[in-house]
Amino acid sequence: MRERISKYSRARMTAISEDEERRAERFLLAEYELIVDMRATMIRMVENRMTFVTGLQASEIALLAILITSKTVSVATMLILVCALGIPTLFLTYIVFLRAMDMQVTGRQYLHALNAIREHFVARCPHIRDTIRLPTATHEPRFSSIGSHSSALP
């Protein structure tokens, strides 16, 4: 009787662990998709902010160029306009730059998470390693450098 119970218990534990394994893999795939979407949204946000700041700067330069060529505005008024428009724009540009750097770090954290999920699947199915072109190392891209030397691609 004990032998039957232990066989039954082992079979049930195996079935539960396989079911849990399937659930875990579905969770990892959903997590992978979520991280990809979050990273894409973050990149779009940075691009939109940079576009806005660049457009604002170009508009201010165009306005100042028109005022300079019209020769109807005094130098003192021109300096007041430059300060009134330039200082807030400079501050806004600085804030957008800092936020873009923060998002760069967050983007690397997202890449580390994506690499870890890829590594999980490659470890479970080693035969797919040759078909995976994106990195599976969880320490890539490195946080210690920015630019071409920080790339995780071979």
Side-chain angles (χ1 to χ4, degrees), residues 80-116:
I80 291 172
L81 274 173
V82 166
C83 289
L85 295 175
I87 291 173
T89 302
L90 183 63
F91 182 67
L92 178 65
T93 303
Y94 178 69
I95 290 172
V96 168
F97 172 76
L98 288 179
R99 188 65 183 135
M101 290 297 102
D102 181 48
M103 289 187 177
Q104 178 80 11
V105 171
T106 303
R108 286 180 181 221
Q109 291 170 340
Y110 288 161
L111 287 175
H112 286 202
L114 293 171
N115 293 350

Side-chain angles (χ1 to χ4, degrees), residues 58-86:
S59 299
E60 290 175 4
I61 291 170
L63 173 67
L64 292 174
I66 290 171
L67 292 176
I68 288 171
T69 57
S70 70
K71 297 181 183 178
T72 59
V73 179
S74 68
V75 174
T77 307
M78 185 65 68
L79 288 176
I80 291 172
L81 274 173
V82 166
C83 289
L85 295 175

Side-chain angles (χ1 to χ4, degrees), residues 9 13-14 17 33 80 82 86 96 105 115 118 120 146 150-151:
S9 296
M13 287 176 67
T14 304
S17 66
E33 290 177 20
I80 291 172
V82 166
V96 168
V105 171
N115 293 350
R118 262 188 239 107
H120 167 77
I146 296 176
S150 65
S151 177

Side-chain angles (χ1 to χ4, degrees), residues 19-77:
D19 184 48
E20 287 176 352
E21 185 68 29
R22 274 186 257 130
R23 276 193 246 152
E25 287 183 359
R26 282 197 307 265
F27 170 78
L28 284 175
L29 290 172
E31 186 75 5
Y32 189 89
E33 290 177 20
L34 177 66
I35 293 169
V36 166
D37 289 343
M38 288 170 51
R39 185 170 179 269
T41 299
M42 182 189 62
I43 290 170
R44 275 194 307 276
M45 286 173 54
V46 169
E47 288 174 351
N48 289 344
R49 288 176 183 172
M50 296 299 256
T51 301
F52 173 74
V53 167
T54 304
L56 184 63
Q57 291 170 345
S59 299
E60 290 175 4
I61 291 170
L63 173 67
L64 292 174
I66 290 171
L67 292 176
I68 288 171
T69 57
S70 70
K71 297 181 183 178
T72 59
V73 179
S74 68
V75 174
T77 307

